[in-house]
Amino acid sequence: MTVAWRAMLVVLLALNLRPILTSIGPLLEPMRISTGLGYQQAALLTALPVLCMGAVPLLHPWSRRWLSEHAGMLGGLAAIALACLWRLQLQSAWALVASAVLAGLGVAVVQGMMPGLVNRWFPGRLAGAMGLYSAALMSGGGLAAVLGPHLAEYSGQWQLGLGAWAAPAMLAMLAWLILRPRNIQSPVFKGNGGHWFGHRRAWLLAVYFGLINGGYTSMVAWLPAFYLEQGGSAQGGADLVGLMTLFQVLGALGLPLLLRRWVDRRPGLALALSIQLVGFMGLLMVPTAVPGLWVALIGFGLGACFSQSLTLTLEHLPTPAEAGGLAGFVQGIGFIITGCVPYIVGWLRALDGDFQSAWTVLTASVLTMLLVTIAFSPQSYAKALARPVPVDNVDALS
């Protein structure tokens, strides 16, 4: 299988990992009118899938003993497809929440495997491959946000804007069956595979990943509602999510390409976080002046941060199996944190009646992570993650 076919398969898989989140915000008002969905329940539609994305990878050191990569990938894609098909029919708020959990579990399984898979399939091209994966992941989210309202308007049913994304999930299942490489052996994990609960660097990477990506889930969940409050339209809010996604793709692809020869990831991460910081400060201080500019800056920073932070994690360890295990832990803890952020934003919105406090919290979070970036010197990788704790000794930690 050529590199081009592998890259195509990565793109098809990644496209399915965000529509379940980004299709919600632009259709929130008709969903609320039809089902009686409250703002806190609406926050769960984003928060619960992201929490699933966190919980499932944490089980990876144990589940990989009985769940193969092939079965996991097919099962995850099938869960996404079933959840979207269910959304074509549902009418109640709690059914929406349940479908979000099912889809989130599917995304969690697929997404948890992707960093290790990319690391294994593209030796020597990790930064560029992670950029491609990140860009495709964000593109799928942007397409769902922009096209969802059009599909809903065309059909007269908001359910189609949520459920149409079963089609690309089924296409990805077919592509996986046909295109997956047979000549690149999947990792085989024995009983002494490592988990990372006892490593401070692993926890720092996880919290870092979670907080620098919390802005994404918050913007996806609440940007359309914020734009409506500023006097805009629902489609205008969806278009802003689409604009954010466009610049996310540019950030995810462009910055790794620009810095592809750099061993130290800190300058790229610092630049991405600084750009993100300017965008959030713009929303906080002059939200109605040039909202497209603020959203574009936030999008570029988020896209670059996602790909660069995953690359940073994978580069901490020398083998794809070890690096994939660490990435699973970092995504696990990280996405739990990321999933809590939009819920906090929704709580602050309900408490204050506007988004000023929410943007303040996100601005402070980005500034803090900018300072934390200093800690990730390449010379510190090996020492920081020496002596992984065996899975068989997990009881000793309890």
Side-chain angles (χ1 to χ4, degrees), residues 161-181:
L162 303 182
W165 314 109
M170 291 186 283
L171 176 62
M173 290 176 67
L174 180 62
W176 174 261
L177 288 169
I178 297 172
L179 297 177
R180 78 184 192 279

Side-chain angles (χ1 to χ4, degrees), residues 218-255:
S218 299
M219 295 294 282
V220 164
W222 298 112
L223 180 59
F226 170 73
Y227 189 67
L228 281 174
E229 288 186 0
Q230 301 302 313
S233 64
Q235 185 60 54
D239 291 341
L240 276 182
V241 174
L243 178 67
M244 182 181 76
T245 301
L246 173 63
F247 279 86
Q248 279 182 292
V249 171
L250 292 175
L253 286 174
L255 201 59

Side-chain angles (χ1 to χ4, degrees), residues 3-300:
V3 171
W5 284 112
R6 279 181 238 152
M8 181 183 297
L9 183 53
V10 166
V11 169
L12 286 173
L13 293 171
L15 285 172
N16 288 281
L17 302 181
R18 289 298 177 268
I20 64 160
L21 299 178
T22 58
S23 59
I24 297 293
L27 297 171
L28 184 58
E29 287 310 306
M31 287 162 52
R32 293 183 66 240
I33 293 170
S34 175
T35 65
L37 189 74
Y39 273 108
Q40 294 300 92
Q41 286 176 306
L44 291 176
L45 296 180
T46 301
L48 288 177
V50 179
L51 290 174
C52 290
M53 295 177 206
V56 171
L58 292 179
L59 302 176
H60 186 54
W62 296 270
S63 65
R64 66 193 179 192
R65 299 178 181 180
W66 52 267
L67 182 66
S68 70
E69 183 178 80
H70 178 59
M73 196 66 72
L74 287 179
L77 291 169
I80 296 169
L82 286 172
C84 291
L85 290 171
W86 185 13
R87 286 180 166 183
L88 290 172
Q89 306 295 327
L90 53 79
Q91 297 289 338
S92 75
W94 288 112
L96 266 172
V97 173
S99 72
V101 173
L102 176 60
L105 290 171
V107 170
V109 172
V110 176
Q111 184 170 260
M113 294 178 176
M114 288 300 293
L117 179 148
V118 171
N119 197 13
R120 199 170 71 250
W121 285 5
F122 300 94
R125 305 180 184 182
L126 179 59
M130 287 306 303
L132 178 67
Y133 162 64
S134 303
L137 181 148
M138 295 159 190
S139 296
L143 286 172
V146 173
L147 296 180
H150 290 293
L151 292 171
E153 183 179 3
Y154 175 78
S155 65
Q157 294 184 318
W158 55 265
Q159 288 92 338
L160 184 63
L162 303 182
W165 314 109
M170 291 186 283
L171 176 62
M173 290 176 67
L174 180 62
W176 174 261
L177 288 169
I178 297 172
L179 297 177
R180 78 184 192 279
R182 270 70 166 183
N183 60 333
I184 301 179
Q185 187 175 5
S186 299
V188 177
F189 296 96
K190 305 298 184 182
N192 63 346
H195 71 75
W196 304 97
F197 289 94
H199 286 81
R200 282 183 289 183
R201 174 55 63 92
W203 279 96
L204 181 60
L205 286 166
V207 173
Y208 185 79
F209 178 84
L211 289 178
I212 66 174
N213 289 293
Y216 173 75
T217 48
S218 299
M219 295 294 282
V220 164
W222 298 112
L223 180 59
F226 170 73
Y227 189 67
L228 281 174
E229 288 186 0
Q230 301 302 313
S233 64
Q235 185 60 54
D239 291 341
L240 276 182
V241 174
L243 178 67
M244 182 181 76
T245 301
L246 173 63
F247 279 86
Q248 279 182 292
V249 171
L250 292 175
L253 286 174
L255 201 59
L257 182 63
L258 181 66
L259 304 177
R260 63 188 180 278
R261 300 188 186 279
W262 291 41
V263 176
D264 194 340
R265 299 296 162 198
R266 291 178 296 174
L269 283 162
L271 176 60
L273 284 163
S274 298
I275 292 171
Q276 205 180 135
L277 182 63
V278 173
F280 278 117
M281 289 180 67
L283 282 185
L284 178 62
M285 300 172 68
V286 281
T288 59
V290 277
L293 174 61
W294 310 138
V295 167
L297 290 171
I298 291 169
F300 187 93

